[in-house]
Amino acid sequence: MALQIFVCLYVITLIIGVESANEFKVYKELTTSYDKNIRPIHNTSLPTDATVHITYFTILNIDQPAETLRFMTEVVLTWHDEIVKWNRTAFADIDSAIIPASLLWKPDIIVTTSLKTDYMLPEEERFVKVNGDGTVRSETPCIITNQCVLDIQNFPYDIQECNITFESWVYDSSKIDLKIGNHSHDELSSNDRKGNGEWTLLSMEPVVSHYNTVDGRNWVEVTYVVRLKREPIYYTCVLLMPTFLSATICLLGLFVPATNRGERIEKVSMGLATLLSMAVILGIIADEMPKTTTLPLLGYYVLAELILCTIGVILSMIIMLAHQRALTRMWSPPKWINLVLFFKFYNTKREDTSVHQFLAENRPVGKGEYESDTVKTIRVVTGYNRLREFMERVQQCIEDKQFEEDIKQQWIIIFDKTDIYLLIVFNLVNVVMSWLLLFN
């Protein structure tokens, strides 16, 4: 039993040793007399075939003011190296080998739309896989900060498209023929492509590689188009709903009658405070968005609500001024208000009262006319004329007071109806604007 165990261990060690020796032999064969500074092709008039593709994609964040997309990915670069080839039968059927990437030539494929690329592994710790037919495969995990021009016209219900472009920095199309790498649908499944809390990744599809001509030379570009959809729930709850509620409270405070005397100073103060709060919300939106010539949809909404409340405050001040002038100058309501407000007010024309009728019916009669007992009694009282003048003044004062109260009451009713109509109109506009934005 011990002899059998010893023989098995010896055979395993021998196999591992032979395998290691063969891999070392391949490694020495590949690296001997190899110059990584020269493009590995025998016919230098032909381009080196290279492919590039992305295996996974995870959004880290989007800096909207700076218009950048930061994501984590793995760039897989494959090219054909005519120098690093070997015969499998001569090396114990070894068809591939892992060697340090710094020992071989590598096409200088970079992300031209990137502002910053952070590699997870330093250059000296990266490896490449070399096949016996000369195919070299490099897998580089990295974090890329990519430029992404945002179209904020439909914010916060927008869909953005960002381009990730790969291109050689030094070699044109006559030296490197860059193409899109072969990848199956299963390789790039939804588990390998992830968004974040604010953005949902709709798709990431490579477009056909095309040529970019600069100074008469063609450069091959491979572009991935990333489509992102924003989740609007945060902006709906934090910006849209407070703006709608602030505008509603502002309009209710401006056009709901608070007293029966028409005081509106506190209403105007409330409207001004609401305008200030919506201006703060508009400033928050401006800080979140890039500084472009286009105002986002939510910005238009807040601005429209701001203008709506401003118009409401102005109308409330005009109504307050008109109410004060109508009451202090005792203006009679014009008749056209009946048609505008569908309101019928009673006549405020002064009429003769019972005192005037009493004095007229019981005036002193001439000589030879019949005199009532009451008139005879009044004639007896000294100062009849003074008493009559006093009674007329009292009655005139009562009439004026009643006339003023009638005028005030009618103006209060008129302006109350005006407030109600304006409240309905302004809140209808407020609801319609919010509905159109919410279900855009």
Side-chain angles (χ1 to χ4, degrees):
M1 179 63 69
L3 181 61
Q4 291 177 354
I5 294 175
F6 175 77
V7 172
C8 291
L9 292 175
Y10 177 77
V11 172
I12 293 174
T13 305
L14 183 63
I15 293 174
I16 294 175
V18 172
E19 185 73 18
S20 300
N22 289 329
E23 288 186 1
F24 179 76
K25 188 177 180 180
V26 170
Y27 171 78
K28 296 298 294 183
E29 180 71 19
L30 297 180
T31 57
T32 301
S33 69
Y34 185 92
D35 191 350
K36 65 178 181 179
N37 297 317
I38 301 176
R39 188 165 60 96
I41 190 169
H42 298 297
N43 188 359
T44 57
S45 62
L46 297 177
T48 300
D49 296 329
T51 63
V52 62
H53 72 274
I54 295 176
T55 56
Y56 67 88
F57 184 89
T58 302
I59 298 176
L60 299 180
N61 69 289
I62 294 181
D63 190 345
Q64 297 181 95
E67 295 186 280
T68 57
L69 167 65
R70 190 166 181 262
F71 59 92
M72 182 172 59
T73 186
E74 183 182 53
V75 179
V76 178
L77 185 62
T78 306
W79 66 95
H80 187 70
D81 193 326
E82 296 183 359
I83 306 300
V84 289
K85 289 184 178 180
W86 69 86
N87 189 354
R88 294 179 54 186
T89 58
F91 295 93
D93 291 336
I94 295 179
D95 58 354
S96 64
I98 305 297
I99 64 176
S102 59
L103 299 179
L104 298 181
W105 176 88
K106 184 178 180 181
D108 59 333
I109 305 301
I110 62 172
V111 183
T112 57
T113 55
S114 171
L115 301 179
K116 182 181 180 182
T117 301
D118 298 322
Y119 295 99
M120 297 183 182
L121 292 175
E123 179 69 25
E124 60 273 9
E125 296 182 8
R126 299 179 204 167
F127 290 85
V128 294
K129 181 180 180 181
V130 182
N131 295 329
D133 59 355
T135 302
V136 184
R137 179 185 175 93
S138 170
E139 299 179 357
T140 307
C142 56
I143 297 176
I144 298 176
T145 302
N146 194 80
Q147 183 182 9
C148 182
V149 179
L150 301 180
D151 182 10
I152 60 172
Q153 185 175 0
N154 294 323
F155 171 81
Y157 305 99
D158 52 337
I159 296 177
Q160 303 293 339
E161 289 188 357
C162 300
N163 294 333
I164 305 173
T165 302
F166 296 89
E167 182 182 0
S168 174
W169 186 254
V170 176
Y171 299 101
D172 57 13
S173 59
S174 64
K175 303 299 181 182
I176 293 181
D177 187 13
L178 184 62
K179 297 179 181 179
I180 301 172
N182 296 324
H183 53 274
S184 63
H185 179 73
D186 295 335
E187 185 180 3
L188 296 176
S189 62
S190 59
N191 294 329
D192 296 327
R193 296 181 174 183
K194 301 177 182 179
N196 57 10
E198 182 179 357
W199 296 92
T200 299
L201 182 61
L202 297 180
S203 64
M204 190 186 69
E205 299 296 335
V207 299
V208 179
S209 58
H210 60 281
Y211 293 96
N212 181 23
T213 303
V214 179
D215 296 334
R217 301 171 63 186
N218 294 327
W219 305 82
V220 187
E221 293 182 349
V222 173
T223 302
Y224 278 81
V225 179
V226 180
R227 299 184 72 247
L228 306 171
K229 180 182 179 182
R230 190 193 304 269
E231 296 297 334
I233 184 65
Y234 171 80
Y235 297 97
T236 301
C237 296
V238 175
L239 297 178
L240 192 149
M241 293 304 298
T243 302
F244 172 75
L245 295 176
S246 298
T248 303
I249 293 173
C250 173
L251 297 175
L252 289 175
L254 288 175
F255 298 118
V256 171
T259 64
N260 60 354
R261 306 306 302 176
E263 289 85 354
R264 298 173 178 273
I265 297 177
E266 284 112 11
K267 296 183 178 183
V268 175
S269 300
M270 179 186 295
L272 295 176
T274 307
L275 292 180
L276 179 60
S277 64
M278 284 191 288
V280 172
I281 295 176
L282 189 60
I284 295 174
I285 298 175
D287 293 337
E288 290 289 333
M289 293 294 99
K291 305 303 184 289
T292 62
T293 57
T294 303
L295 192 66
L297 184 63
L298 183 58
Y300 277 116
Y301 170 74
V302 176
L303 188 60
E305 293 282 19
L306 193 63
I307 295 174
L308 185 67
C309 290
T310 302
I311 295 174
V313 171
I314 294 174
L315 288 179
S316 181
M317 296 175 68
I318 293 174
I319 292 174
M320 179 178 65
L321 179 61
H323 201 167
Q324 188 268 342
R325 293 295 180 89
L327 295 181
T328 55
R329 288 162 176 76
M330 287 294 113
W331 291 340
S332 296
K335 294 183 179 181
W336 56 265
I337 293 183
N338 290 337
L339 300 177
V340 176
L341 300 179
F342 305 101
F343 167 67
K344 185 177 181 181
F345 49 84
Y346 50 85
N347 190 10
T348 57
K349 185 178 180 180
R350 290 186 176 93
E351 297 179 353
D352 293 336
T353 57
S354 58
V355 173
H356 293 284
Q357 294 176 358
F358 173 80
L359 295 175
E361 292 175 356
N362 299 279
R363 67 186 185 280
V365 297
K367 189 176 181 179
E369 295 181 359
Y370 174 76
E371 295 181 356
S372 63
D373 295 337
T374 305
V375 174
K376 291 179 180 181
T377 305
I378 294 176
R379 281 182 178 275
V380 178
V381 180
T382 304
Y384 168 77
N385 293 331
R386 186 175 297 177
L387 176 61
R388 182 179 63 180
E389 182 181 355
F390 175 76
M391 293 179 65
E392 289 177 353
R393 290 181 178 180
V394 171
Q395 186 60 36
Q396 183 67 32
C397 183
I398 295 174
E399 289 177 359
D400 293 341
K401 194 66 176 179
Q402 185 63 39
F403 179 76
E404 291 178 4
E405 291 296 329
D406 293 341
I407 292 294
K408 290 181 180 180
Q409 187 64 29
Q410 290 189 33
W411 279 117
I412 289 175
I413 296 175
I414 289 172
F415 285 115
D416 283 351
K417 283 187 171 291
T418 304
D419 283 337
I420 292 175
Y421 293 151
L422 291 177
L423 177 64
I424 294 173
V425 172
F426 274 74
N427 273 294
L428 183 61
V429 174
N430 183 26
V431 171
V432 170
M433 289 193 304
S434 302
W435 181 272
L436 292 177
L437 177 66
L438 192 60
F439 296 96
N440 180 45

Coordinates of all heavy atoms in Angstrom, one line a residue, residues 333-335 337-347 410 413-414 417 421:
P333 N -71.5 100.3 -7.5 CA -71.1 99.2 -8.4 C -71.6 99.4 -9.8 O -72.8 99.7 -9.9 CB -71.6 97.9 -7.7 CG -71.8 98.3 -6.3 CD -72.2 99.7 -6.3
P334 N -70.8 99.3 -10.8 CA -71.4 99.5 -12.2 C -72.3 98.4 -12.6 O -72.2 97.3 -12.1 CB -70.1 99.6 -13.0 CG -69.1 98.9 -12.3 CD -69.4 99.1 -10.8
K335 N -73.1 98.7 -13.5 CA -74.1 97.6 -13.9 C -73.5 96.5 -14.7 O -74.1 95.4 -14.7 CB -75.2 98.3 -14.8 CG -76.1 99.3 -14.0 CD -77.2 99.9 -14.8 CE -78.0 100.8 -14.0 NZ -79.1 101.4 -14.8
I337 N -71.1 94.8 -14.0 CA -70.6 93.7 -13.1 C -71.6 92.6 -13.1 O -71.3 91.4 -12.9 CB -70.3 94.2 -11.7 CG1 -69.1 95.2 -11.8 CG2 -70.0 93.1 -10.7 CD1 -68.7 95.7 -10.5
N338 N -72.9 92.9 -13.3 CA -74.0 91.9 -13.3 C -73.7 90.8 -14.4 O -73.8 89.6 -14.2 CB -75.3 92.5 -13.6 CG -75.8 93.3 -12.4 OD1 -75.4 93.1 -11.3 ND2 -76.7 94.3 -12.7
L339 N -73.2 91.3 -15.6 CA -72.9 90.4 -16.7 C -71.6 89.6 -16.5 O -71.5 88.4 -16.8 CB -72.8 91.1 -18.0 CG -74.1 91.9 -18.4 CD1 -73.9 92.7 -19.7 CD2 -75.3 91.0 -18.5
V340 N -70.6 90.2 -15.9 CA -69.3 89.6 -15.7 C -69.4 88.5 -14.6 O -68.9 87.4 -14.7 CB -68.3 90.6 -15.4 CG1 -66.9 90.0 -15.2 CG2 -68.1 91.6 -16.6
L341 N -69.9 88.9 -13.4 CA -69.9 88.0 -12.3 C -71.2 87.2 -12.1 O -71.3 86.5 -11.1 CB -69.6 88.9 -11.0 CG -68.3 89.6 -11.0 CD1 -68.2 90.4 -9.7 CD2 -67.1 88.7 -11.2
F342 N -72.2 87.4 -12.9 CA -73.5 86.8 -12.8 C -74.0 87.0 -11.4 O -74.5 86.1 -10.7 CB -73.3 85.2 -13.0 CG -72.7 84.9 -14.3 CD1 -71.4 84.5 -14.4 CD2 -73.5 84.9 -15.5 CE1 -70.8 84.2 -15.6 CE2 -72.9 84.6 -16.7 CZ -71.6 84.2 -16.8
F343 N -74.0 88.3 -11.1 CA -74.4 88.7 -9.7 C -75.4 89.9 -9.9 O -75.1 90.8 -10.6 CB -73.2 89.1 -8.9 CG -73.6 89.8 -7.6 CD1 -74.2 89.2 -6.6 CD2 -73.2 91.1 -7.4 CE1 -74.5 89.8 -5.4 CE2 -73.5 91.8 -6.3 CZ -74.2 91.1 -5.2
K344 N -76.5 89.8 -9.2 CA -77.5 90.9 -9.2 C -77.5 91.5 -7.9 O -77.9 90.9 -6.9 CB -78.9 90.3 -9.6 CG -79.9 91.4 -9.8 CD -81.3 90.8 -10.2 CE -82.3 91.9 -10.4 NZ -83.6 91.4 -10.8
F345 N -77.1 92.8 -7.8 CA -77.2 93.6 -6.6 C -78.4 94.5 -6.6 O -78.9 94.9 -7.6 CB -75.9 94.3 -6.4 CG -75.4 95.2 -7.6 CD1 -76.0 96.4 -7.8 CD2 -74.5 94.7 -8.5 CE1 -75.6 97.2 -8.9 CE2 -74.2 95.4 -9.6 CZ -74.7 96.7 -9.8
Y346 N -78.8 94.8 -5.4 CA -80.0 95.6 -5.3 C -79.7 97.1 -5.4 O -78.5 97.5 -5.3 CB -80.7 95.4 -3.9 CG -79.8 95.4 -2.7 CD1 -79.5 96.7 -2.1 CD2 -79.2 94.3 -2.2 CE1 -78.7 96.7 -1.0 CE2 -78.3 94.4 -1.2 CZ -78.1 95.6 -0.6 OH -77.2 95.7 0.5
N347 N -80.7 97.9 -5.7 CA -80.5 99.3 -5.9 C -80.2 100.1 -4.6 O -80.7 99.8 -3.6 CB -81.8 99.9 -6.5 CG -81.7 101.3 -7.0 OD1 -80.5 101.8 -7.1 ND2 -82.8 101.9 -7.3
Q410 N -72.2 95.4 -0.8 CA -72.2 95.0 -2.2 C -70.8 94.8 -2.7 O -70.5 93.8 -3.5 CB -73.0 96.0 -3.0 CG -74.5 96.0 -2.8 CD -75.2 96.8 -3.7 OE1 -74.9 96.9 -4.9 NE2 -76.3 97.4 -3.3
I413 N -69.4 91.5 -1.4 CA -69.9 90.4 -2.2 C -69.3 90.3 -3.6 O -68.9 89.2 -4.1 CB -71.4 90.5 -2.3 CG1 -72.1 90.4 -0.9 CG2 -72.0 89.4 -3.2 CD1 -73.6 90.6 -0.9
I414 N -69.1 91.5 -4.2 CA -68.5 91.5 -5.6 C -67.1 90.9 -5.5 O -66.7 90.1 -6.3 CB -68.5 92.9 -6.1 CG1 -70.0 93.3 -6.5 CG2 -67.6 93.0 -7.4 CD1 -70.1 94.8 -6.9
K417 N -66.9 87.2 -4.8 CA -67.2 86.4 -6.1 C -66.0 86.4 -7.0 O -65.6 85.4 -7.7 CB -68.4 86.9 -6.8 CG -69.7 86.4 -6.1 CD -70.9 86.8 -6.9 CE -72.2 86.2 -6.4 NZ -72.2 84.7 -6.6
Y421 N -63.9 83.1 -8.4 CA -63.7 82.9 -9.8 C -62.2 82.8 -10.1 O -61.7 81.9 -10.8 CB -64.3 84.0 -10.7 CG -65.8 84.0 -10.6 CD1 -66.5 85.2 -10.8 CD2 -66.5 82.8 -10.4 CE1 -67.9 85.2 -10.8 CE2 -67.9 82.8 -10.4 CZ -68.6 84.0 -10.5 OH -70.0 84.0 -10.5

